[in-house]
Amino acid sequence: MISISSYKNKNVGILGAGLSGIAAAKILVSSKANIYIFDDKKDKPDFINDNCWKNYKLWPWEALAALVVSPGIPINAKNKHLAIELAIKNKIEIINEIDLFFQTKPKAKIIGITGTNGKSTTVALLFHILKFNKIKCVIGGNYGFPACEIKDPGKSGFIILELSSYQLDGAKKLSLDLATITNITQDHLDYHETFYKYKLSKLKIIDFLKENGTFILDTNNKGLNEIVSEEMCKSVNIIKIKKDETFSYANDNYYLQGAHNASNCSIAVSIARYLNINLEKIKFAIENFKGLPHRMEPLYITDRVKIINDSKSTNG
């Protein structure tokens, strides 16, 4: 397990014990930090010592170096969790598990992908194209491994992060080489309170690009084009996907049927081309792509009948 030397002997609170909270706890334990972890809705995980599992009201707030907040807990909402209020009152740095991962200083180039719909399919397809072409890569974040469990593939490799609006909303320390947004439509307003705030959380992915990083924009998506402005991208390179430039690549794969998957595919192809993968090798990889379970999954196909399982189409 990778460690972060700056947390040695420091007191760190972890709010939430889901997958990301546990991943954060493990990396902080490896870093020899003194952790305090609690979840209002979960029992103590087996590997956590009894003295570490303590209600946040009993934490030594005046002595905490940081508070790591799980993505399902709003950091910027008007009505904040009491633990977040206590952190603000005590001037404690508030981060999330994605931030913690970036403090490990991974050497691989990092690709960030977000969107209301289609981000998991886009991440999975891009990962497949890169692996198919023998390029070192790993996926994590909102899909795949929690970020803190990612094994850095090194300077010649790539880390593909699926980033939800929750993760982007709470993040402060991301540094991306390349990013894209599949689409933005109204969602998660119970968390973000307004569509405007939700849009801002998604658009933060552009702010997290390194100077001269690259943003892939699907110009075929009218709604996205109305939200993403040239001004937002002034300090980064922008690659615009032109109409029908890569859409046909999805047509021969049943897992990628539909206009939405054509868009997902065009983004993955554009990123792969930007990474100098041969066009024919990209197409061959797509032909061999097996989609995600329950997302446009072919169950029964004849000349007359097609039965497709799309029961797990999800938003984020």
Side-chain angles (χ1 to χ4, degrees):
M1 172 68 72
I2 297 170
S3 63
I4 307 169
S5 60
S6 60
Y7 285 109
K8 185 176 181 179
N9 297 326
K10 298 284 182 65
N11 298 314
V12 182
I14 303 169
L15 186 62
L19 291 176
S20 65
I22 294 302
K26 287 179 178 178
I27 204 167
L28 286 166
V29 168
S30 176
S31 303
K32 298 183 179 178
N34 305 313
I35 67 167
Y36 298 88
I37 180 170
F38 193 71
D39 192 309
D40 299 284
K41 299 178 181 178
K42 291 183 180 291
D43 295 327
K44 182 183 77 68
D46 291 339
F47 83 98
I48 298 292
N49 293 331
D50 290 341
N51 60 336
C52 295
W53 185 261
K54 189 176 294 186
N55 190 294
Y56 51 85
K57 295 176 184 178
L58 303 175
W59 292 353
W61 285 99
E62 69 288 346
L64 290 187
L67 173 66
V68 183
V69 181
S70 293
I73 303 168
I75 290 175
N76 299 312
K78 288 181 181 177
N79 297 318
K80 293 178 173 60
H81 192 286
L82 178 57
I84 294 172
E85 295 279 13
L86 288 167
I88 293 169
K89 180 181 176 181
N90 288 276
K91 297 181 181 179
I92 293 163
E93 183 181 28
I94 302 171
I95 61 173
N96 64 16
E97 184 248 352
I98 302 289
D99 287 319
L100 199 62
F101 162 70
F102 273 89
Q103 290 182 39
T104 68
K105 299 180 180 178
K107 293 180 172 59
K109 288 184 172 60
I110 300 181
I111 300 169
I113 296 176
T114 193
T116 306
N117 294 291
K119 56 189 179 295
S120 293
T121 296
T122 305
V123 165
L125 179 57
L126 178 61
F127 175 74
H128 171 76
I129 294 170
L130 267 58
K131 292 290 284 185
F132 198 87
N133 285 281
K134 301 186 181 346
I135 295 173
K136 293 179 184 177
C137 60
V138 64
I139 51 177
N142 195 54
Y143 172 70
F145 295 103
C148 284
E149 291 184 4
I150 289 173
K151 293 182 179 178
D152 182 8
K155 287 183 179 179
S156 62
F158 293 88
I159 294 169
I160 308 169
L161 287 179
E162 179 184 312
L163 297 166
S164 71
S165 60
Y166 300 169
Q167 291 167 321
L168 287 167
D169 184 57
K172 296 179 178 68
K173 301 179 182 294
L174 279 64
S175 181
L176 305 173
D177 295 279
L178 191 149
T180 191
I181 302 172
T182 57
N183 47 63
I184 301 177
T185 56
Q186 288 201 40
D187 198 28
H188 297 309
L189 300 191
D190 55 335
Y191 179 103
H192 295 284
E193 300 170 334
T194 66
F195 183 41
Y196 175 73
K197 283 185 169 182
Y198 174 69
K199 284 191 292 185
L200 288 182
S201 72
K202 290 295 190 186
L203 293 170
K204 278 179 72 176
I205 200 169
I206 300 173
D207 296 332
F208 287 133
L209 278 165
K210 295 176 181 175
E211 189 173 356
N212 294 320
T214 300
F215 182 69
I216 306 290
L217 175 63
D218 182 5
T219 58
N220 304 287
N221 187 315
K222 183 180 177 182
L224 191 61
N225 271 278
E226 290 173 352
I227 294 170
V228 178
S229 67
E230 294 282 348
E231 180 67 17
M232 293 174 189
C233 303
K234 65 181 180 181
S235 64
V236 301
N237 302 312
I238 183 167
I239 294 176
K240 296 182 178 180
I241 302 172
K242 298 175 182 177
K243 186 174 177 61
D244 297 330
E245 184 177 19
T246 56
F247 274 35
S248 61
Y249 281 65
N251 292 343
D252 296 331
N253 188 322
Y254 279 113
Y255 286 95
L256 295 170
Q257 296 295 295
H260 62 299
N261 273 326
S263 178
N264 299 335
C265 187
S266 71
I267 291 170
V269 170
S270 294
I271 294 173
R273 288 179 66 182
Y274 177 76
L275 299 179
N276 296 316
I277 300 176
N278 178 278
L279 209 52
E280 286 305 311
K281 289 182 178 179
I282 293 172
K283 190 169 185 178
F284 190 51
I286 291 170
E287 288 172 355
N288 288 274
F289 175 67
K290 302 298 183 188
L292 301 179
H294 315 299
R295 291 175 174 91
M296 294 302 293
E297 182 181 11
L299 297 181
Y300 179 77
I301 295 177
T302 69
D303 291 339
R304 297 180 62 188
V305 178
K306 293 180 184 178
I307 300 176
I308 305 295
N309 179 357
D310 196 34
S311 60
K312 203 176 180 183
S313 297
T314 58
N315 293 346

